[in-house]
Amino acid sequence: MPLGERHSGDKSESRYCGVETDFDDDMPNLLSLNIHGGFDFVVATLMDPNYRPSLVDECTSRSTALPFAGSDLVLTPSQWSSHVVGKVSSWIDLDSEDETLRKDSEIALKQEIAWASHLSLQACLLPTPNRTSCANYAKCLNQILQNLASMQLWLRIPLEKSEDDTDSKNPDFMVDRQIDSWEMWNSFRLLCEHHNQLSVALDIQSSLPSASSVARWFGEPVRAGIINTNSFLTNARGYPCLSKRHQRLTTAFFNHSIQIVISGQPVHSAVGASGSRADNNVKDGLKHPLKSYLDYVAYLYQSMDPLPEQERFELGYRDYLQSPLQPLMDNLEAQTYETFEKDTVKYSQYQRAVAKALVDRVPDENASTVTTVLMVVGAGRGPLVRASLQAAEETERKLKIYAVEKNPNAVVTLHSLVKLEGWEKTVTIVSSDMRNWDAPEKADILVSELLGSFGDNELSPECLDGAQRFLKEDGISIPSSYTSFIQPVTACKLYNDIKSHKDLVHFETPYVVKLHRVARLAPTQPVFTFTHPEFSTKASNQRYKKLRFDIQSDTGSSLIHGFGGYFDAILYKDVHLGIEPSTATPNMFSWFPIFFPLRTPICIQPGTPLEVHFWRCSGSTKVWYEWCVASPTASPMHNTNGRSYWVGL
Amino acid sequence: MPLGERHSGDKSESRYCGVETDFDDDMPNLLSLNIHGGFDFVVATLMDPNYRPSLVDECTSRSTALPFAGSDLVLTPSQWSSHVVGKVSSWIDLDSEDETLRKDSEIALKQEIAWASHLSLQACLLPTPNRTSCANYAKCLNQILQNLASMQLWLRIPLEKSEDDTDSKNPDFMVDRQIDSWEMWNSFRLLCEHHNQLSVALDIQSSLPSASSVARWFGEPVRAGIINTNSFLTNARGYPCLSKRHQRLTTAFFNHSIQIVISGQPVHSAVGASGSRADNNVKDGLKHPLKSYLDYVAYLYQSMDPLPEQERFELGYRDYLQSPLQPLMDNLEAQTYETFEKDTVKYSQYQRAVAKALVDRVPDENASTVTTVLMVVGAGRGPLVRASLQAAEETERKLKIYAVEKNPNAVVTLHSLVKLEGWEKTVTIVSSDMRNWDAPEKADILVSELLGSFGDNELSPECLDGAQRFLKEDGISIPSSYTSFIQPVTACKLYNDIKSHKDLVHFETPYVVKLHRVARLAPTQPVFTFTHPEFSTKASNQRYKKLRFDIQSDTGSSLIHGFGGYFDAILYKDVHLGIEPSTATPNMFSWFPIFFPLRTPICIQPGTPLEVHFWRCSGSTKVWYEWCVASPTASPMHNTNGRSYWVGL
């Protein structure tokens, strides 16, 4: 039974809660008690914990069944796959110094995963790797992963990181080695090459690492958060509750579709468990001993604010890679125009900018005599024409508009709009590419919306260079400038999606994507700026920028899969518009961020800066980006000569 | 004219010497003077050093030729390609903070390389990268490399590395940054993805870094060593000579086919150059001002010892990747037997081992009465039968031999040999796989030569496990044990050859290869050991080994492309045989080393250990290795489940 509904009946997503159980021969009873107790699934030990392959007599073993919990018939296939997550024996240690234990572990691991796979379980929880080494574990698991049908393997990782003690008062206290469980996971998944059936179950401890350290996990494939009853506090009435930080973490889990699992014995007095051996395999009819923990988790879920409408609309786009538009080479489709035109916030910003420009251009005393010539270049189906007319009306300025559009299909609609609205006297429609149009007069104001997610990536600079021929020398361009921004991110999901294409091209293509399961590792930094108009003859639209990111020292190590890219545009004076996270225009949905991948993820140690280089290059027929990491280790150059990705001129 | 012949008329290889010249409009004269002066080629500046693209008026430039040294017609095509290496203007700095210089550099670099390529020069010498950054240089060069026909680009790198000053007497003296020019090169080539037309010209300074630091370069694609006249010492007669360390370096250059280039002004008094402006564009008829430097280099070459015969024989195999044999699955060809049988050193070691075993087995007093049963398993065309018979003769022991061979083609030859030699009474030929043979009696001694370059890699353990069924309980196996060894190496050439296949399989295959252009970064360490006979029932031929290599601290950073692999075998007691470099049996040629590649080269910082894991795995039909690096960063697991490389059982 899902955790209920969020506030205000938001049914957009459900969340589930499981419970970790001990070994029980009677799986039907175990399942029934826990499901009736309100949990959605059990994380159940499949094999008798006393079993060791090396203790089995070889002759016996050939005829005897392995000591699993019952046969596959005790549950229906759908019960197995919907309600049981297998738990692999926790005595398994594949990196033990003890060779017998290591060999037993290897055999048992294979047997248990084979059994879980035979049952078509959706997932198996795997024991935590040995702190000192994980290579043999990774080697065995990697072998298994190559032939595993569709089951997910959840590697159990404690959420812990000892804090840096450079500021420690006692310098004599030497820690042998900083503990950071993320590094354990990172080694493991690098050895297994980011296998997409290998994921993480985070074991939540009673104390949490720093916020920036925890944040790394949201770029990782975390599938479950296991909360032990020991990590709960006790409220005034003796019931379990979580600390503020644990609450925020749990909420973040909900937001990232990470399932919660309750683990351990009931330890809160109001639960009535103190003293007695209260395992969670309760007697029929009694309240489940962990029910109050479940209730608290459900309460947290139900207390969450409903998703804003825009977020709900964008749910389906989360972490879904799209190739950027090529609006210059290709003509947009009606549906695309339809979507963009609905972005009222964007057009009201344009209207504000045009209004300010009109007032600056024509003083009140001349308002009735002077007509401002405004050209909308890339008018599409007319939204900027409308916004400009509204600005003129609002400021009581006289306006003459040329609407220039290269897409003949959009021009059809534009004509019909002008007729419908009765704008014939004010608006002249020009069916032409702005770079070639021979304008009959010069404009006071040039309005365009040619920006991509990375600002200049849909070739606004090249288009406006062409269009400024017919802008007066003191004329105004709206936008007057725009800047792109990047920041390094961990983005396992995106990396795996790109990798699945098994080619170079996809690793050298920037994608438009609603970034969600990413860890943003440093604040954004500006990359390229373009200003309009630009009448200097020496000016070029090629750019080169070297950036240095310092990752917050308490983050720990991290893995960079690529860069989130954004833009901010100054439309006119203080009217801006953009998606750079810290200054993003609220409730605007026309742009998702852009993602520049790295062919090989780069690992950054604490205190080591990340040096990144970005180029905007152009040839006679195309514009493209190249990028690389120069430090701490040099990456290959990406997209040399625009071999994989380019925007046609 | 080549540098002459090595001692004793060894003509196996020639070496050339070039000279770096200043810009000269008159290329025919420049070339003629230097060739007549004894040099083989000139490294010649192609473009007028005063040229700067930004100083050229745009209108003029369209009609005027670029200021190159003459037209392409001034030399014949073969003169250009055989005797001229182009030198790109040294004012070029693509990573300057000065944007004008940067843009000038980019234009000039493209123009000069295009010109050199137009002339079909074999190589161009490129200016040294900026110390602080090289990303923009690498980006531009990488663009050029994508479309460059066949010309080599020699990046000029000073051979320098400041030594670690942890032991420095003055700790207050803080060096801002350790200088290690290898790191500059490493970043550059990583950015250019090991492009095989990008190579190195090492600029030799008057002082040299530590030996282990210099050694790194012999795994890199160094094509030229440029020795400035300033780096020469003066001998008693006033002539130039080199320090002992410089001499050794020059000799190593000769050994690695690295060409020498003399650079600079004559500075030695006996040369007669002091005071006067003696550029190297000398007047006709005069002795070349740098002739005594050239003579000294030629003298060094001619003083080198001739190549030993075996080395000369193996010249053609240097750094040439071969797939290991599959002698169990495939039958060897006559030619292969022929080659191996010529290795007299190997068989004399076997003879010694059999002799010692015979004497241990049968005391002198029983020599005439007791007959030892010796079985040669994998007898091939009979060399071990011969060696065993010689051992018996030498020790005056009586011997009965069974020669077991699975290859029916070899058995034909074996029969003919036995008849020819008159061994019919002593030798019984068995045409069978030793793993299936039903022996009529048990053996005292089991002799085999089933070892591969990595010891167990041709499945000696599995074969001998099968054969030991017919060895007496106290019987002797020759060999009695063998161990494999590995060491990390830089091996740019091998990496590039593997990369050229553009697939995963080749990166997960160990190759048999005569390692030559490699840098061995640490002493070897043992990996897997097998001992025979092995009667324990619990024994397995699967192995797992974790190794930690510490790279000598004065080496500096280094790049690991993979691991050199070797073996050593104990035939009997103190008689061993092997190719592990520090204990290798001299003058044995049956085995080249094995090379285990890494899919992605791993960079090691000074003082950081390298942790490597190797597994020997087996299934019902095959045996394979898996390997990975776990630290400093985790590599992917190589050859999981033997997906790319395996040896059939």
Side-chain angles (χ1 to χ4, degrees), chain B residues 454 484-488 522-527 547 549 563-567 580 594 596 612-614 627:
Chain B
F454 200 53
S484 50
F485 294 82
I486 61 164
Q487 71 185 157
T524 66
Q525 289 188 34
V527 189
L547 303 116
F549 292 95
F563 303 91
Y566 319 92
F567 81 95
E580 192 283 313
I594 202 163
F596 286 88
V612 184
H613 299 250
F614 263 76
W627 61 98

PDB file of all heavy atoms in Angstrom, chain B residues 454 484-488 522-527 547 549 563-567 580 594 596 612-614 627:
ATOM      1  N   PHE B 454      53.871 -16.294 -19.892  1.00  0.00           N
ATOM      2  CA  PHE B 454      53.398 -15.942 -18.560  1.00  0.00           C
ATOM      3  C   PHE B 454      53.331 -17.206 -17.696  1.00  0.00           C
ATOM      4  O   PHE B 454      52.578 -17.297 -16.745  1.00  0.00           O
ATOM      5  CB  PHE B 454      52.009 -15.304 -18.688  1.00  0.00           C
ATOM      6  CG  PHE B 454      51.594 -14.469 -17.508  1.00  0.00           C
ATOM      7  CD1 PHE B 454      52.410 -13.455 -17.030  1.00  0.00           C
ATOM      8  CD2 PHE B 454      50.372 -14.681 -16.880  1.00  0.00           C
ATOM      9  CE1 PHE B 454      52.016 -12.679 -15.944  1.00  0.00           C
ATOM     10  CE2 PHE B 454      49.972 -13.900 -15.800  1.00  0.00           C
ATOM     11  CZ  PHE B 454      50.806 -12.901 -15.330  1.00  0.00           C
ATOM     12  N   SER B 484      54.644 -16.644 -12.466  1.00  0.00           N
ATOM     13  CA  SER B 484      54.546 -15.523 -13.395  1.00  0.00           C
ATOM     14  C   SER B 484      54.880 -14.221 -12.674  1.00  0.00           C
ATOM     15  O   SER B 484      54.774 -14.129 -11.447  1.00  0.00           O
ATOM     16  CB  SER B 484      53.147 -15.457 -14.004  1.00  0.00           C
ATOM     17  OG  SER B 484      52.160 -15.526 -12.999  1.00  0.00           O
ATOM     18  N   PHE B 485      55.304 -13.222 -13.434  1.00  0.00           N
ATOM     19  CA  PHE B 485      55.696 -11.917 -12.886  1.00  0.00           C
ATOM     20  C   PHE B 485      55.094 -10.812 -13.751  1.00  0.00           C
ATOM     21  O   PHE B 485      54.943 -10.995 -14.961  1.00  0.00           O
ATOM     22  CB  PHE B 485      57.224 -11.757 -12.916  1.00  0.00           C
ATOM     23  CG  PHE B 485      57.961 -12.694 -12.002  1.00  0.00           C
ATOM     24  CD1 PHE B 485      58.226 -14.007 -12.390  1.00  0.00           C
ATOM     25  CD2 PHE B 485      58.386 -12.263 -10.752  1.00  0.00           C
ATOM     26  CE1 PHE B 485      58.898 -14.875 -11.555  1.00  0.00           C
ATOM     27  CE2 PHE B 485      59.073 -13.130  -9.904  1.00  0.00           C
ATOM     28  CZ  PHE B 485      59.327 -14.431 -10.304  1.00  0.00           C
ATOM     29  N   ILE B 486      54.799  -9.681 -13.137  1.00  0.00           N
ATOM     30  CA  ILE B 486      54.430  -8.503 -13.941  1.00  0.00           C
ATOM     31  C   ILE B 486      55.131  -7.254 -13.420  1.00  0.00           C
ATOM     32  O   ILE B 486      55.622  -7.215 -12.279  1.00  0.00           O
ATOM     33  CB  ILE B 486      52.911  -8.220 -13.980  1.00  0.00           C
ATOM     34  CG1 ILE B 486      52.371  -7.940 -12.569  1.00  0.00           C
ATOM     35  CG2 ILE B 486      52.139  -9.327 -14.667  1.00  0.00           C
ATOM     36  CD1 ILE B 486      51.013  -7.283 -12.578  1.00  0.00           C
ATOM     37  N   GLN B 487      55.155  -6.237 -14.282  1.00  0.00           N
ATOM     38  CA  GLN B 487      55.633  -4.918 -13.891  1.00  0.00           C
ATOM     39  C   GLN B 487      54.884  -3.885 -14.751  1.00  0.00           C
ATOM     40  O   GLN B 487      54.551  -4.161 -15.909  1.00  0.00           O
ATOM     41  CB  GLN B 487      57.139  -4.771 -14.075  1.00  0.00           C
ATOM     42  CG  GLN B 487      57.573  -4.696 -15.518  1.00  0.00           C
ATOM     43  CD  GLN B 487      59.093  -4.675 -15.670  1.00  0.00           C
ATOM     44  OE1 GLN B 487      59.598  -5.037 -16.719  1.00  0.00           O
ATOM     45  NE2 GLN B 487      59.837  -4.287 -14.663  1.00  0.00           N
ATOM     46  N   PRO B 488      54.597  -2.720 -14.166  1.00  0.00           N
ATOM     47  CA  PRO B 488      53.900  -1.691 -14.940  1.00  0.00           C
ATOM     48  C   PRO B 488      54.844  -1.029 -15.940  1.00  0.00           C
ATOM     49  O   PRO B 488      56.008  -0.788 -15.630  1.00  0.00           O
ATOM     50  CB  PRO B 488      53.460  -0.688 -13.868  1.00  0.00           C
ATOM     51  CG  PRO B 488      54.406  -0.869 -12.733  1.00  0.00           C
ATOM     52  CD  PRO B 488      54.865  -2.308 -12.774  1.00  0.00           C
ATOM     53  N   ALA B 522      58.734  -0.097 -12.517  1.00  0.00           N
ATOM     54  CA  ALA B 522      59.008  -0.661 -11.193  1.00  0.00           C
ATOM     55  C   ALA B 522      59.516  -2.076 -11.394  1.00  0.00           C
ATOM     56  O   ALA B 522      59.269  -2.679 -12.435  1.00  0.00           O
ATOM     57  CB  ALA B 522      57.720  -0.667 -10.361  1.00  0.00           C
ATOM     58  N   PRO B 523      60.245  -2.611 -10.403  1.00  0.00           N
ATOM     59  CA  PRO B 523      60.704  -3.999 -10.516  1.00  0.00           C
ATOM     60  C   PRO B 523      59.512  -4.949 -10.621  1.00  0.00           C
ATOM     61  O   PRO B 523      58.412  -4.630 -10.162  1.00  0.00           O
ATOM     62  CB  PRO B 523      61.464  -4.235  -9.201  1.00  0.00           C
ATOM     63  CG  PRO B 523      61.785  -2.870  -8.679  1.00  0.00           C
ATOM     64  CD  PRO B 523      60.693  -1.974  -9.160  1.00  0.00           C
ATOM     65  N   THR B 524      59.737  -6.098 -11.225  1.00  0.00           N
ATOM     66  CA  THR B 524      58.651  -7.080 -11.354  1.00  0.00           C
ATOM     67  C   THR B 524      58.247  -7.621  -9.985  1.00  0.00           C
ATOM     68  O   THR B 524      59.031  -7.581  -9.035  1.00  0.00           O
ATOM     69  CB  THR B 524      59.084  -8.288 -12.209  1.00  0.00           C
ATOM     70  OG1 THR B 524      60.099  -8.990 -11.503  1.00  0.00           O
ATOM     71  CG2 THR B 524      59.595  -7.856 -13.571  1.00  0.00           C
ATOM     72  N   GLN B 525      57.030  -8.153  -9.926  1.00  0.00           N
ATOM     73  CA  GLN B 525      56.570  -8.851  -8.730  1.00  0.00           C
ATOM     74  C   GLN B 525      55.918 -10.160  -9.156  1.00  0.00           C
ATOM     75  O   GLN B 525      55.296 -10.227 -10.218  1.00  0.00           O
ATOM     76  CB  GLN B 525      55.558  -8.000  -7.958  1.00  0.00           C
ATOM     77  CG  GLN B 525      56.203  -6.800  -7.269  1.00  0.00           C
ATOM     78  CD  GLN B 525      55.222  -6.078  -6.362  1.00  0.00           C
ATOM     79  OE1 GLN B 525      54.358  -6.695  -5.748  1.00  0.00           O
ATOM     80  NE2 GLN B 525      55.360  -4.763  -6.291  1.00  0.00           N
ATOM     81  N   PRO B 526      56.035 -11.188  -8.299  1.00  0.00           N
ATOM     82  CA  PRO B 526      55.434 -12.482  -8.652  1.00  0.00           C
ATOM     83  C   PRO B 526      53.908 -12.422  -8.618  1.00  0.00           C
ATOM     84  O   PRO B 526      53.331 -11.695  -7.810  1.00  0.00           O
ATOM     85  CB  PRO B 526      55.956 -13.426  -7.570  1.00  0.00           C
ATOM     86  CG  PRO B 526      56.379 -12.549  -6.450  1.00  0.00           C
ATOM     87  CD  PRO B 526      56.769 -11.231  -7.034  1.00  0.00           C
ATOM     88  N   VAL B 527      53.294 -13.171  -9.497  1.00  0.00           N
ATOM     89  CA  VAL B 527      51.832 -13.198  -9.562  1.00  0.00           C
ATOM     90  C   VAL B 527      51.308 -14.574  -9.149  1.00  0.00           C
ATOM     91  O   VAL B 527      50.876 -14.752  -8.021  1.00  0.00           O
ATOM     92  CB  VAL B 527      51.331 -12.802 -10.970  1.00  0.00           C
ATOM     93  CG1 VAL B 527      49.820 -12.619 -10.968  1.00  0.00           C
ATOM     94  CG2 VAL B 527      52.009 -11.511 -11.445  1.00  0.00           C
ATOM     95  N   LEU B 547      48.500  -6.916  -6.049  1.00  0.00           N
ATOM     96  CA  LEU B 547      49.888  -6.444  -6.041  1.00  0.00           C
ATOM     97  C   LEU B 547      49.925  -4.947  -5.837  1.00  0.00           C
ATOM     98  O   LEU B 547      49.029  -4.224  -6.296  1.00  0.00           O
ATOM     99  CB  LEU B 547      50.558  -6.761  -7.376  1.00  0.00           C
ATOM    100  CG  LEU B 547      50.575  -8.216  -7.823  1.00  0.00           C
ATOM    101  CD1 LEU B 547      49.763  -8.370  -9.094  1.00  0.00           C
ATOM    102  CD2 LEU B 547      51.991  -8.697  -8.021  1.00  0.00           C
ATOM    103  N   PHE B 549      52.569  -1.784  -6.441  1.00  0.00           N
ATOM    104  CA  PHE B 549      53.853  -1.306  -6.966  1.00  0.00           C
ATOM    105  C   PHE B 549      54.120   0.102  -6.455  1.00  0.00           C
ATOM    106  O   PHE B 549      53.239   0.963  -6.506  1.00  0.00           O
ATOM    107  CB  PHE B 549      53.825  -1.290  -8.495  1.00  0.00           C
ATOM    108  CG  PHE B 549      53.772  -2.651  -9.114  1.00  0.00           C
ATOM    109  CD1 PHE B 549      52.558  -3.217  -9.473  1.00  0.00           C
ATOM    110  CD2 PHE B 549      54.930  -3.384  -9.335  1.00  0.00           C
ATOM    111  CE1 PHE B 549      52.498  -4.482 -10.041  1.00  0.00           C
ATOM    112  CE2 PHE B 549      54.881  -4.646  -9.900  1.00  0.00           C
ATOM    113  CZ  PHE B 549      53.665  -5.195 -10.253  1.00  0.00           C
ATOM    114  N   PHE B 563      50.970  -3.883 -18.516  1.00  0.00           N
ATOM    115  CA  PHE B 563      51.925  -4.616 -17.703  1.00  0.00           C
ATOM    116  C   PHE B 563      52.740  -5.563 -18.564  1.00  0.00           C
ATOM    117  O   PHE B 563      52.193  -6.288 -19.396  1.00  0.00           O
ATOM    118  CB  PHE B 563      51.191  -5.412 -16.622  1.00  0.00           C
ATOM    119  CG  PHE B 563      50.351  -4.520 -15.758  1.00  0.00           C
ATOM    120  CD1 PHE B 563      49.027  -4.270 -16.076  1.00  0.00           C
ATOM    121  CD2 PHE B 563      50.917  -3.859 -14.677  1.00  0.00           C
ATOM    122  CE1 PHE B 563      48.268  -3.394 -15.320  1.00  0.00           C
ATOM    123  CE2 PHE B 563      50.167  -2.983 -13.914  1.00  0.00           C
ATOM    124  CZ  PHE B 563      48.848  -2.742 -14.235  1.00  0.00           C
ATOM    125  N   GLY B 564      54.069  -5.514 -18.359  1.00  0.00           N
ATOM    126  CA  GLY B 564      54.933  -6.521 -18.964  1.00  0.00           C
ATOM    127  C   GLY B 564      54.832  -7.777 -18.117  1.00  0.00           C
ATOM    128  O   GLY B 564      54.875  -7.702 -16.890  1.00  0.00           O
ATOM    129  N   GLY B 565      54.686  -8.930 -18.762  1.00  0.00           N
ATOM    130  CA  GLY B 565      54.553 -10.194 -18.026  1.00  0.00           C
ATOM    131  C   GLY B 565      55.665 -11.153 -18.400  1.00  0.00           C
ATOM    132  O   GLY B 565      56.117 -11.167 -19.549  1.00  0.00           O
ATOM    133  N   TYR B 566      56.126 -11.948 -17.443  1.00  0.00           N
ATOM    134  CA  TYR B 566      57.262 -12.852 -17.619  1.00  0.00           C
ATOM    135  C   TYR B 566      57.008 -14.108 -16.796  1.00  0.00           C
ATOM    136  O   TYR B 566      56.030 -14.190 -16.058  1.00  0.00           O
ATOM    137  CB  TYR B 566      58.558 -12.183 -17.132  1.00  0.00           C
ATOM    138  CG  TYR B 566      58.674 -10.726 -17.500  1.00  0.00           C
ATOM    139  CD1 TYR B 566      58.235  -9.728 -16.637  1.00  0.00           C
ATOM    140  CD2 TYR B 566      59.200 -10.342 -18.742  1.00  0.00           C
ATOM    141  CE1 TYR B 566      58.326  -8.387 -16.983  1.00  0.00           C
ATOM    142  CE2 TYR B 566      59.290  -9.011 -19.100  1.00  0.00           C
ATOM    143  CZ  TYR B 566      58.858  -8.031 -18.212  1.00  0.00           C
ATOM    144  OH  TYR B 566      58.948  -6.719 -18.565  1.00  0.00           O
ATOM    145  N   PHE B 567      57.928 -15.073 -16.887  1.00  0.00           N
ATOM    146  CA  PHE B 567      57.848 -16.238 -15.992  1.00  0.00           C
ATOM    147  C   PHE B 567      59.244 -16.669 -15.598  1.00  0.00           C
ATOM    148  O   PHE B 567      60.239 -16.330 -16.244  1.00  0.00           O
ATOM    149  CB  PHE B 567      57.125 -17.413 -16.685  1.00  0.00           C
ATOM    150  CG  PHE B 567      58.013 -18.183 -17.612  1.00  0.00           C
ATOM    151  CD1 PHE B 567      58.679 -19.336 -17.189  1.00  0.00           C
ATOM    152  CD2 PHE B 567      58.228 -17.740 -18.911  1.00  0.00           C
ATOM    153  CE1 PHE B 567      59.522 -20.036 -18.054  1.00  0.00           C
ATOM    154  CE2 PHE B 567      59.064 -18.422 -19.780  1.00  0.00           C
ATOM    155  CZ  PHE B 567      59.707 -19.572 -19.352  1.00  0.00           C
ATOM    156  N   GLU B 580      62.139 -13.686 -16.635  1.00  0.00           N
ATOM    157  CA  GLU B 580      61.964 -12.561 -15.712  1.00  0.00           C
ATOM    158  C   GLU B 580      63.250 -11.741 -15.797  1.00  0.00           C
ATOM    159  O   GLU B 580      64.347 -12.297 -15.610  1.00  0.00           O
ATOM    160  CB  GLU B 580      61.709 -13.104 -14.308  1.00  0.00           C
ATOM    161  CG  GLU B 580      61.236 -12.061 -13.304  1.00  0.00           C
ATOM    162  CD  GLU B 580      62.359 -11.164 -12.791  1.00  0.00           C
ATOM    163  OE1 GLU B 580      63.419 -11.711 -12.414  1.00  0.00           O
ATOM    164  OE2 GLU B 580      62.186  -9.926 -12.801  1.00  0.00           O
ATOM    165  N   ILE B 594      55.098 -11.127 -22.293  1.00  0.00           N
ATOM    166  CA  ILE B 594      53.678 -10.949 -22.608  1.00  0.00           C
ATOM    167  C   ILE B 594      53.295  -9.537 -22.169  1.00  0.00           C
ATOM    168  O   ILE B 594      53.952  -8.959 -21.292  1.00  0.00           O
ATOM    169  CB  ILE B 594      52.826 -12.042 -21.902  1.00  0.00           C
ATOM    170  CG1 ILE B 594      51.480 -12.232 -22.598  1.00  0.00           C
ATOM    171  CG2 ILE B 594      52.651 -11.738 -20.417  1.00  0.00           C
ATOM    172  CD1 ILE B 594      50.783 -13.542 -22.225  1.00  0.00           C
ATOM    173  N   PHE B 596      50.019  -7.196 -20.969  1.00  0.00           N
ATOM    174  CA  PHE B 596      48.609  -7.052 -20.613  1.00  0.00           C
ATOM    175  C   PHE B 596      48.240  -5.572 -20.734  1.00  0.00           C
ATOM    176  O   PHE B 596      48.725  -4.757 -19.953  1.00  0.00           O
ATOM    177  CB  PHE B 596      48.373  -7.487 -19.163  1.00  0.00           C
ATOM    178  CG  PHE B 596      48.424  -8.977 -18.956  1.00  0.00           C
ATOM    179  CD1 PHE B 596      49.624  -9.605 -18.682  1.00  0.00           C
ATOM    180  CD2 PHE B 596      47.272  -9.742 -19.036  1.00  0.00           C
ATOM    181  CE1 PHE B 596      49.681 -10.987 -18.475  1.00  0.00           C
ATOM    182  CE2 PHE B 596      47.317 -11.120 -18.828  1.00  0.00           C
ATOM    183  CZ  PHE B 596      48.525 -11.743 -18.558  1.00  0.00           C
ATOM    184  N   VAL B 612      47.174  -3.285  -8.160  1.00  0.00           N
ATOM    185  CA  VAL B 612      46.753  -4.059  -9.324  1.00  0.00           C
ATOM    186  C   VAL B 612      46.214  -5.399  -8.860  1.00  0.00           C
ATOM    187  O   VAL B 612      46.726  -5.978  -7.895  1.00  0.00           O
ATOM    188  CB  VAL B 612      47.966  -4.310 -10.254  1.00  0.00           C
ATOM    189  CG1 VAL B 612      47.539  -5.021 -11.521  1.00  0.00           C
ATOM    190  CG2 VAL B 612      48.671  -3.015 -10.574  1.00  0.00           C
ATOM    191  N   HIS B 613      45.185  -5.898  -9.514  1.00  0.00           N
ATOM    192  CA  HIS B 613      44.632  -7.220  -9.192  1.00  0.00           C
ATOM    193  C   HIS B 613      44.631  -8.095 -10.445  1.00  0.00           C
ATOM    194  O   HIS B 613      44.264  -7.616 -11.519  1.00  0.00           O
ATOM    195  CB  HIS B 613      43.204  -7.098  -8.656  1.00  0.00           C
ATOM    196  CG  HIS B 613      43.096  -6.305  -7.388  1.00  0.00           C
ATOM    197  ND1 HIS B 613      42.798  -6.873  -6.176  1.00  0.00           N
ATOM    198  CD2 HIS B 613      43.274  -4.979  -7.143  1.00  0.00           C
ATOM    199  CE1 HIS B 613      42.785  -5.923  -5.232  1.00  0.00           C
ATOM    200  NE2 HIS B 613      43.075  -4.764  -5.804  1.00  0.00           N
ATOM    201  N   PHE B 614      45.062  -9.320 -10.266  1.00  0.00           N
ATOM    202  CA  PHE B 614      45.053 -10.299 -11.364  1.00  0.00           C
ATOM    203  C   PHE B 614      44.325 -11.559 -10.920  1.00  0.00           C
ATOM    204  O   PHE B 614      44.516 -12.021  -9.798  1.00  0.00           O
ATOM    205  CB  PHE B 614      46.498 -10.668 -11.762  1.00  0.00           C
ATOM    206  CG  PHE B 614      47.007  -9.892 -12.944  1.00  0.00           C
ATOM    207  CD1 PHE B 614      47.396  -8.578 -12.800  1.00  0.00           C
ATOM    208  CD2 PHE B 614      47.089 -10.478 -14.210  1.00  0.00           C
ATOM    209  CE1 PHE B 614      47.870  -7.844 -13.893  1.00  0.00           C
ATOM    210  CE2 PHE B 614      47.558  -9.760 -15.304  1.00  0.00           C
ATOM    211  CZ  PHE B 614      47.947  -8.443 -15.148  1.00  0.00           C
ATOM    212  N   TRP B 627      41.896  -8.719 -15.112  1.00  0.00           N
ATOM    213  CA  TRP B 627      42.803  -7.834 -14.390  1.00  0.00           C
ATOM    214  C   TRP B 627      42.198  -6.446 -14.272  1.00  0.00           C
ATOM    215  O   TRP B 627      41.300  -6.079 -15.043  1.00  0.00           O
ATOM    216  CB  TRP B 627      44.190  -7.786 -15.047  1.00  0.00           C
ATOM    217  CG  TRP B 627      44.248  -7.275 -16.452  1.00  0.00           C
ATOM    218  CD1 TRP B 627      44.566  -6.010 -16.856  1.00  0.00           C
ATOM    219  CD2 TRP B 627      43.996  -8.018 -17.668  1.00  0.00           C
ATOM    220  NE1 TRP B 627      44.527  -5.919 -18.233  1.00  0.00           N
ATOM    221  CE2 TRP B 627      44.177  -7.133 -18.757  1.00  0.00           C
ATOM    222  CE3 TRP B 627      43.619  -9.340 -17.933  1.00  0.00           C
ATOM    223  CZ2 TRP B 627      44.007  -7.525 -20.090  1.00  0.00           C
ATOM    224  CZ3 TRP B 627      43.449  -9.723 -19.257  1.00  0.00           C
ATOM    225  CH2 TRP B 627      43.649  -8.825 -20.314  1.00  0.00           C
TER     226      TRP B 627
END
